[in-house]
């Protein structure tokens, strides 16, 4: 019962605060990318603060984010890492579902921040569109954040990587930094949220230019390192 009360309060407060932040994001975008990044980080800091003090969720970071420009391949279990990793990677372009990028206000804010929309169908046309937009990352010298399994999964689930990951890896010609995490143990997709510690683990970079089979196998193994770890 206590967990449900905390969850309901968190959702009411977070989404109430989020509305003016998201709606006003296009205004910040008019003042340049730096202003847009500051605006986004206010939202991220708000989410982190509320998760800590209303839900009792803390974050433990293992490993170090290497300096430089990389393709960050991150495990995806909750909305939590969509926000948290954006700040910890320092303003990457984000690969996200086109449905999200096309949403009113939120989609405009995401595109202003820097988003690479991708279609679910994984068709050749969708892949070409993604790679075309990913070329912006190389021109801007920005890292790219992708959730290579394609969608949120429950703790313990380890689906294969989506085909678009290998294409993006080849097109960007960037080393990959895998990131394992276990956010789904606390920030559950369904049901009440749980207090505890979310671990974010940065793994050593994997070089660019590897064959598809090798890069997919190495990234898949790396981002799933915490799948058997119990909550702290």
């Amino acid at each position: 019962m206590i967990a449900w009360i905390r969850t309901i309060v968190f959702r009411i407060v977070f989404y109430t605060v989020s509305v003016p932040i998201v709606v006003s994001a296009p205004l910040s975008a008019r003042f340049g990318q730096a202003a847009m990044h500051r605006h986004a980080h206010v939202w991220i800091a708000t989410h982190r603060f509320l998760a800590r003090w209303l839900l009792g969720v803390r974050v433990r970071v293992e490993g170090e984010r290497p300096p430089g420009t990389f393709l960050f391949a991150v495990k995806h279990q909750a909305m939590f890492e969509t926000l948290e990793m954006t700040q910890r990677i320092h303003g990457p372009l984000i690969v996200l579902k086109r449905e999200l990028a096309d949403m009113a206000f939120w989609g405009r804010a995401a595109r202003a921040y820097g988003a690479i929309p991708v279609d679910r169908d994984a068709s050749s046309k969708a892949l070409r569109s993604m790679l075309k937009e990913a070329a912006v990352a190389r021109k801007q010298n920005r890292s790219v954040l992708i959730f290579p399994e394609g969608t949120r999964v429950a703790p313990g689930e380890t689906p294969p990587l989506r085909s678009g990951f290998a294409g993006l890896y080849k097109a960007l010609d960037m080393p990959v930094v895998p990131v394992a995490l276990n956010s789904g143990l606390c920030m559950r997709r369904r049901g009440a949220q749980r207090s505890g510690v979310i671990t974010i683990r940065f793994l050593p970079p994997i070089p660019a230019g590897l064959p598809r089979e090798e890069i997919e196998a190495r990234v898949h193994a790396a981002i799933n390192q915490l799948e058997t770890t119990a909550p702290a």
Side-chain angles (χ1 to χ4, degrees):
M1 179 62 70
I2 294 177
W4 267 113
I5 293 173
R6 296 172 76 172
T7 299
I8 292 170
V9 172
F10 169 80
R11 289 174 178 171
I12 291 174
V13 175
F14 176 66
Y15 288 113
T16 299
V17 173
S18 294
V19 170
I21 294 176
V22 173
V23 170
S24 62
L27 296 178
S28 291
R30 296 190 177 197
F31 295 94
Q33 198 171 82
M36 186 63 216
H37 286 186
R38 288 192 296 270
H39 189 106
H41 290 170
V42 169
W43 191 35
I44 295 166
T46 299
H47 181 267
R48 183 185 298 165
F49 177 85
L50 295 176
R52 174 68 182 90
W53 296 108
L54 294 181
L55 297 178
V57 173
R58 291 169 287 134
V59 178
R60 174 175 58 220
V61 178
E62 299 177 353
E64 295 183 1
R65 184 189 70 83
T69 303
F70 296 90
L71 173 58
F72 287 86
V74 182
K75 184 70 179 179
H76 195 15
Q77 294 183 343
M79 178 183 173
F80 171 86
E81 56 269 10
T82 307
L83 298 176
E84 187 73 18
M85 294 306 303
T86 300
Q87 187 173 55
R88 292 188 182 274
I89 297 174
H90 303 318
L93 286 170
I94 307 168
V95 179
L96 49 74
K97 294 180 290 187
R98 186 169 296 277
E99 301 97 288
L100 296 177
D102 291 341
M103 289 175 61
F105 295 111
W106 197 94
R108 291 177 61 189
R111 288 176 181 271
Y113 184 88
I116 302 174
V118 58
D119 293 311
R120 286 178 177 270
D121 59 13
S123 65
S124 58
K125 180 180 179 181
L127 181 58
R128 287 195 301 271
S129 176
M130 180 181 71
L131 299 183
K132 180 180 179 180
E133 298 201 47
V136 175
R138 300 192 68 174
K139 293 180 180 179
Q140 296 181 355
N141 196 33
R142 293 173 67 180
S143 290
V144 176
L145 168 63
I146 186 172
F147 301 106
E149 292 174 336
T151 190
R152 290 179 293 174
V153 298
E157 293 183 358
T158 59
L161 307 190
R162 293 292 182 91
S163 59
F165 168 75
L168 187 63
Y169 167 75
K170 181 178 180 180
L172 290 174
D173 194 31
M174 289 179 178
V176 179
V177 175
V179 181
L181 51 79
N182 56 5
S183 60
L185 296 174
C186 296
M187 308 293 282
R188 299 194 296 172
R189 189 172 183 177
R190 295 182 178 86
Q193 310 305 302
R194 297 173 177 171
S195 61
V197 179
I198 292 175
T199 298
I200 297 174
R201 179 180 296 170
F202 287 90
L203 285 305
I206 301 173
L210 297 179
R212 175 174 178 171
E213 294 78 8
E214 181 177 354
I215 187 60
E216 288 186 339
R218 291 179 64 173
V219 168
H220 188 266
I223 67 174
N224 286 298
Q225 282 191 7
L226 297 176
E227 289 314 288
T228 57
T229 301

